[in-house]
């Protein structure tokens, strides 16, 4: 059977920082596509320094392998979406909480990654640093949950919590004494 070559421009669909996820730990994703479709798969840079995937094998196997490559790219892109918004620097400490407790709780509850960048890290001058950018990374559902938890936390600023109310605190103590 005659082998053909298909060059797929992965740089158009996937940022180079995600190539490691495409390859997989110890090349597992590449080996799986090669084994499942009986093709050879190579990643290389063309003359313009753009990352390409070369698939070599019989015509119909190439088509199946290309489909698997596109499914993998879609999966990686879906899991690495990012949403960003800006908040005043004075709210950062409240959002993070003591020793990072609140932001870690949000990260664990929604399974997102949250990072902050001040205006001067974004290439602005310190005098223009009126807001801090918050970047939330994950898949679509995780981002929705994470952003909702962040906004709930920010909206609770200045409000008394259940534990701050002396009547609730007194009731909780009497309840604990009854045990």
């Amino acid at each position: 059977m005659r082998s053909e070559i298909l060059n797929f421009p992965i740089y158009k669909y996937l940022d180079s920082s995600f190539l490691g996820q495409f390859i997989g730990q110890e090349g597992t994703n590449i080996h799986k596509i090669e084994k499942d479709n009986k093709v050879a798969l190579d990643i290389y840079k063309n003359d313009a320094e753009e990352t390409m995937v070369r698939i070599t094998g019989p015509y119909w196997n190439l088509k199946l392998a290309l489909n698997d490559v596109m499914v993998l790219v879609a999966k990686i892109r879906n899991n690495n979406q990012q949403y960003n918004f800006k908040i005043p620097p004075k709210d950062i400490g409240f959002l993070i909480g003591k020793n990072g407790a609140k932001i870690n709780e949000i990260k664990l509850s929604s399974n997102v990654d949250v990072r902050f960048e001040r205006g001067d890290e974004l290439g602005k001058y310190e005098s223009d640093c009126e807001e801090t950018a918050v970047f939330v990374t994950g898949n679509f559902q995780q981002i929705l949950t994470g952003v909702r938890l962040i906004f709930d936390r920010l909206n609770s600023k200045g409000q008394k919590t259940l534990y701050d109310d002396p009547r609730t605190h007194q009731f909780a103590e009497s309840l604990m004494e009854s045990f």
Side-chain angles (χ1 to χ4, degrees):
M1 200 170 236
R2 200 178 100 202
S3 286
E4 297 189 24
I5 297 173
L6 174 74
N7 292 312
F8 175 70
I10 196 165
Y11 70 92
K12 289 183 178 179
Y13 304 97
L14 197 62
D15 188 59
S16 61
S17 62
F18 297 124
L19 280 178
Q21 290 181 36
F22 178 79
I23 295 168
Q25 189 172 3
E26 297 181 6
T28 53
N29 292 338
I30 298 230
H31 292 302
K32 182 178 181 338
I33 292 171
E34 288 177 331
K35 183 180 172 191
D36 291 350
N37 300 297
K38 297 178 180 66
V39 296
L41 199 138
D42 299 313
I43 298 176
Y44 70 98
K45 289 197 181 240
N46 64 11
D47 295 335
E49 291 297 313
E50 299 163 332
T51 307
M52 304 286 286
V53 173
R54 179 185 303 124
I55 307 170
T56 308
Y59 178 79
W60 290 109
N61 295 27
L62 290 179
K63 296 297 184 187
L64 293 171
L66 180 60
N67 184 57
D68 288 352
V69 166
M70 291 302 293
V71 167
L72 181 58
V73 166
K75 181 179 170 189
I76 291 168
R77 286 179 64 170
N78 184 43
N79 287 333
N80 292 293
Q81 294 181 16
Q82 189 175 70
Y83 178 76
N84 61 43
F85 56 95
K86 295 183 179 182
I87 62 174
K90 63 182 175 60
D91 292 339
I92 297 295
F94 178 75
L95 178 58
I96 293 173
K98 190 173 186 175
N99 295 324
K102 295 299 180 182
I103 198 68
N104 287 336
E105 183 181 320
I106 291 170
K107 287 177 172 182
L108 288 172
S109 298
S110 59
N111 200 23
V112 295
D113 181 46
V114 180
R115 85 185 150 82
F116 303 93
E117 285 189 17
R118 293 189 320 239
D120 55 328
E121 293 171 356
L122 296 171
K124 298 178 182 175
Y125 297 105
E126 286 205 28
S127 60
D128 295 338
C129 294
E130 295 176 12
E131 294 187 325
T132 300
V134 180
F135 295 87
V136 182
T137 306
N139 68 31
F140 182 74
Q141 189 62 45
Q142 293 166 338
I143 290 173
L144 285 177
T145 305
V147 169
R148 181 78 225 155
L149 291 171
I150 288 170
F151 282 117
D152 287 349
R153 172 74 177 150
L154 292 172
N155 287 334
S156 72
K157 187 174 184 179
Q159 297 177 0
K160 285 192 173 192
T161 65
L162 211 53
Y163 304 106
D164 293 337
D165 188 349
R167 293 172 296 169
T168 307
H169 188 69
Q170 189 178 23
F171 172 72
E173 285 178 351
S174 65
L175 187 64
M176 292 306 286
E177 288 173 4
S178 66
F179 287 115

